[in-house]
Amino acid sequence: MSTPSEAAPKSAGKLQFTLKTPKGTKDWADKDMVIREAIFGQLSSLFKRHGGITLDTPVFELREILAGKYGEDSKLIYNLEDQGGELGSLRYDLTVPFARYVAMNNIQSIKRYHIAKVYRRDQPAMTKGRMREFYQCDFDVAGTYESMVPDAEVLSILVEGLTSLGIKDFKIKMNHRKILDGLFQIAGVKDEDVRKISSAVDKLDKAPWEVVRKEITVEKGQTEETADIIGEYVKLNGSLQTVHDILANDKVFQANEKAVEGLKEIETLISYVNAFGIQDYISFDLSLARGLDYYTGIIFEAVTAASAPPKNASELKEKSKKQKKDDDDASEYVGVGSIVAGGRYDNLVNMFAEASGKKSTSIPCVGVSFGVERIFSLIKQRAEQNNNVRPTATQVFVMAFGGGKDWTGYLPERMKVAKKLWENGIETEYVYKSKANPRKQFDAADKSGCPLAVILGKEEYLENKLRVKRLGPEFANDDGELIDAADLIEVVKEKLSQVHEDGVDEVTRLLKGL
Amino acid sequence: MSTPSEAAPKSAGKLQFTLKTPKGTKDWADKDMVIREAIFGQLSSLFKRHGGITLDTPVFELREILAGKYGEDSKLIYNLEDQGGELGSLRYDLTVPFARYVAMNNIQSIKRYHIAKVYRRDQPAMTKGRMREFYQCDFDVAGTYESMVPDAEVLSILVEGLTSLGIKDFKIKMNHRKILDGLFQIAGVKDEDVRKISSAVDKLDKAPWEVVRKEITVEKGQTEETADIIGEYVKLNGSLQTVHDILANDKVFQANEKAVEGLKEIETLISYVNAFGIQDYISFDLSLARGLDYYTGIIFEAVTAASAPPKNASELKEKSKKQKKDDDDASEYVGVGSIVAGGRYDNLVNMFAEASGKKSTSIPCVGVSFGVERIFSLIKQRAEQNNNVRPTATQVFVMAFGGGKDWTGYLPERMKVAKKLWENGIETEYVYKSKANPRKQFDAADKSGCPLAVILGKEEYLENKLRVKRLGPEFANDDGELIDAADLIEVVKEKLSQVHEDGVDEVTRLLKGL
């Protein structure tokens, strides 16, 4: 049999390596996994509620599909090694694969959701939920519809999603690419510089205006005057209506065609978000830019108190840098960032259609993406005090009690009883041992946290009798009920329905923030 | 905005490429996705029923973790490009990451399940469900237990899994690595040659004995006599008891310590599979070898009629080769192969523990892996005739009827009604259009296949009334029921419960093979 040592240089003897997962990735297990699966369940129900169908694309795409979609962040794409054949890269988000799918299959309209992992070679900050491999939960609407109608529904999905996960204290920062592009024009930024100035402005949630201003002027070569005009606009924020009204009365702004077009869409959006009753969550914030190249209309991201860096972030960062070499830790003091994000991207599908020589067809899209790991870390904090989430779903433990020389331990008999319970859909375990003493069997049941025991007594079993007993400290002195083996399923089902009548299960309680 | 053309050589003008997914991968969507998700649901319930907890490991591992685990198949591993930092490879199965997890966390015992994608740069045969990216659904038991007890449960899981998916006509081919190693010793194969001879024998499900014999003698340098002894043993197959009895009376076999050890375990296993009532599914087949290096005890795989290559496979292959250059098609005539597989691997965890300098601890493991894509292609055949599976879960379509000059189309009003339904957990859609005519709204509802409409009549709505109507051809002349808007949720829930009382839903019907 070949062993890992074969892979080592012959002279080195046994290969030695540290057991770990690659940087920025982790294993998910036990209670964390149960909580995360419950979050996925909640979000996929939400997406189905809005008529979504689900799509699963490969984890890697042909490299050319991802090229030119992510601006400065393209350097964060993971490439597959050239092993002969096609060149591939791990997907960076779920949006580009979705657009590729829509273009490839000539789809005219679709509402799809996709819950899957994406990959970014970014600086990880594990405790804040920023990873190199992480899940996105996306809902996107593709198709030509009346202005702002799907956009409003996508915003409603954002609000319904977060509130259903017990997150109520959040704000949706919103802006519009056309408004942003318009104000860059007003400030005198050349068309070819717009995206790089936009990505400088995008840093305003992490850095003060002076730092960004310096980037715009010194690093990115704009005039002081240009920077000052940008500075005046990007400090505007407030309700959609308030900021709308300010811009509607700004003569300079109103003279820019693109900006006015964007503002008109915001006006339409206002009546729809009012219909959904979600207007109070939204803050119109002209400093929001979002890095991705493909957005063309509204852009938004949801932030919570935990999204912001702590007040003493830079101090902590310095301290951490002095103490440790590993800058993973230094980057942890930036807050979790946005927990949901999205926007409209009307040209991405067409970009694929054209690049592949298909007839140019505009398929406008708008979508929202939930960052589950970040949401998870918020919910996990809730669980720190009161975490009774069980990692298994086991409901019944099958045990056998007996003794004496002739005592076989009833292992095949326990297997038969377990099989009957499994066949009836009941989660069942037993100890993998011929002769297990009662203590060990109770301990194993306790460890799993399961509520019921079915006991094969040495003599009772020979008379076709089984004992069904509630588990847990409050039933320590309860001997349970002796029943006919034939009634097993009926009795177990009834007792389990009593158990679960008692209350909401722990995961639901946790998700809802109860 | 940057476009894909930026990635092209400057001289080439616009970048042109074909829109497709990488070779051996595909998009999953619509009904296929609904069916596959239902299969996952069925299997994860099964795994939970057996006390499994779920684990999620990264899609790529450090390269050294995968080294030396897969024998000749190691060449099929996908590597990530060296972009600075660690070297990674996509996981080849879920077993090695599981063993790494157990060793890394010093876990003494665990039952875990994992449903996730794995990656193999193999020759794809898409229509038969053989892909380069595919799902595995694994259940594994790690820990030191009495001989064959978890092994028997894992086999029971295999049987429960397939029968719950309406697959009843299958056979579990089973062998034991110790028996196989023993008979190679008997035949005079040197220890260092065992794995390569084993992998030759493994081809017996696809090739006749003469071909394998030639590989053993000519290619792999064994004597004619050695080949003949192997040939005598590998043709043995039958029930566990039958083959056990033959080997128990074979004096040469009984003289080999390793072989006897293996046979003793089979003897123990027999009483447990009898307790589970699954003995008739199992065929003890000495020709089963399985390619992977890490197995140490029982090995098994489940096959169906569709697993075998068609009788005229070689003919079809030749024909296809002549017609097309693409050998994807030529390799399609080999049958789907095994649909479930697994076995015992007692040294893998320890191999990791030792390689990482931890104290050597034996954590024996046994597991089973369902090949969902292959199972899917079997179930899909069932669906060809009668496929009424709906891609969406939509239950209610909200519509508005009206007309005249002052008619607004009630879009924000429809949104309000939809929001109320969403908040009550009811899957709801409406047409994304201010003024949609009734025909278009009915067509959209029909297309989704949803059973109920809630209609806002121009005048009725002003009187706080809504109309609730069943959809579908048999209700074409039914005007529905006019209700108070306040009673909406109650009425809709009641009508939906009537709809779903009518019968089993289509996915369940399909999975159960009804």
Side-chain angles (χ1 to χ4, degrees), chain A residues 2 13 17 50 80 87 109 136 159 190 273 280 285 316 335 340 404 421 431 451-452:
Chain A
S2 85
F17 55 87
H50 286 264
L80 288 175
L87 292 181
S109 70
Q136 286 191 334
V159 173
K190 286 187 203 126
V273 298
D280 291 345
D285 184 333
L316 287 168
V340 193
L421 290 159
V431 164
L452 226 55

Side-chain angles (χ1 to χ4, degrees), chain A residues 1-2 4 7 14-17 19-23 25-30 33 36-37 48-51 53-65 67-69 77-81 83-84 86 90 100-101 103-104 111 117 119 121 133 135 141 145-146 149-150 153 156 160 195 272 275-276 278 293-294 351-352 354-357 391-394 411-412 415-416 419 422 425-430 432-435, chain B residues 1-4 7 14-17 19-23 25-30 33 36-37 48-51 53-65 67-69 77-81 83-84 86 90 100-101 103-104 111 117 119 121 133 135 141 145-146 149-150 153 156 160 195 272 275-276 278 293-294 351-352 354-357 391-394 411-412 415-416 419 422 425-430 432-435:
Chain A
M1 175 152 185
S2 85
K14 277 220 162 180
L15 176 67
Q16 289 282 332
F17 55 87
L19 285 183
K20 57 176 188 174
T21 61
K23 185 174 176 182
T25 70
K26 59 173 274 197
D27 298 317
W28 286 78
D30 291 321
M33 193 66 179
R36 200 180 69 174
E37 297 256 289
K48 281 183 196 161
R49 217 142 60 219
H50 286 264
I53 68 158
T54 182
L55 172 70
D56 177 35
T57 63
V59 89
F60 52 89
E61 294 276 342
L62 294 179
R63 198 163 298 166
E64 55 215 14
I65 299 286
K69 307 298 185 302
I77 292 172
Y78 276 99
N79 290 328
L80 288 175
E81 195 176 282
Q83 293 171 286
E86 305 155 334
L90 301 190
R100 191 264 306 146
Y101 172 80
M104 184 172 131
K111 290 193 241 182
K117 288 174 173 178
Y119 299 87
R121 299 180 64 253
E133 177 190 59
Y135 265 96
V141 183
Y145 297 112
E146 248 178 60
V149 184
E153 182 160 344
S156 183
E160 290 168 48
R195 279 289 80 84
Y272 301 146
F276 287 136
I278 57 171
D293 277 5
Y294 50 63
M351 206 184 275
F352 283 121
E354 283 184 354
S356 70
T392 71
T394 308
L411 177 55
M415 287 174 165
K416 269 183 205 157
K419 180 81 173 184
W422 292 329
I426 298 159
E427 296 84 355
T428 305
E429 292 188 86
Y430 53 90
Y432 289 162
K433 207 170 170 6
S434 296
K435 298 182 197 177
Chain B
M1 177 152 184
S2 84
T3 67
K14 276 219 161 179
L15 177 65
Q16 289 282 331
F17 54 87
L19 285 182
K20 56 176 190 174
T21 61
K23 186 175 177 182
T25 70
K26 59 175 272 194
D27 298 317
W28 286 79
D30 291 322
M33 193 66 179
R36 199 180 69 175
E37 297 258 288
K48 280 182 195 161
R49 217 141 61 218
H50 286 265
I53 68 158
T54 183
L55 173 70
D56 177 35
T57 64
V59 89
F60 52 90
E61 294 276 340
L62 295 179
R63 198 163 299 166
E64 55 215 16
I65 299 286
K69 307 298 185 303
I77 293 172
Y78 276 99
N79 290 327
L80 288 175
E81 195 175 282
Q83 294 171 287
E86 305 155 335
L90 301 191
R100 190 265 306 146
Y101 172 80
M104 184 173 131
K111 290 194 243 185
K117 288 173 172 179
Y119 299 86
R121 297 180 65 252
E133 177 190 59
Y135 265 96
V141 183
Y145 296 112
E146 250 179 57
V149 183
E153 182 159 343
S156 182
E160 290 168 47
R195 278 290 82 83
Y272 301 146
F276 286 137
I278 56 170
D293 277 5
Y294 48 64
M351 208 183 272
F352 282 121
E354 283 184 355
S356 70
T392 71
T394 308
L411 178 55
M415 286 173 164
K416 269 183 204 155
K419 180 80 172 186
W422 292 330
I426 298 159
E427 296 86 354
T428 305
E429 292 187 86
Y430 53 91
Y432 289 162
K433 206 169 170 8
S434 296
K435 299 182 196 175

Side-chain angles (χ1 to χ4, degrees), chain A residues 274-286:
Chain A
N274 288 349
F276 287 136
I278 57 171
Q279 64 279 14
D280 291 345
Y281 289 104
I282 301 172
S283 164
F284 195 173
D285 184 333
L286 291 198

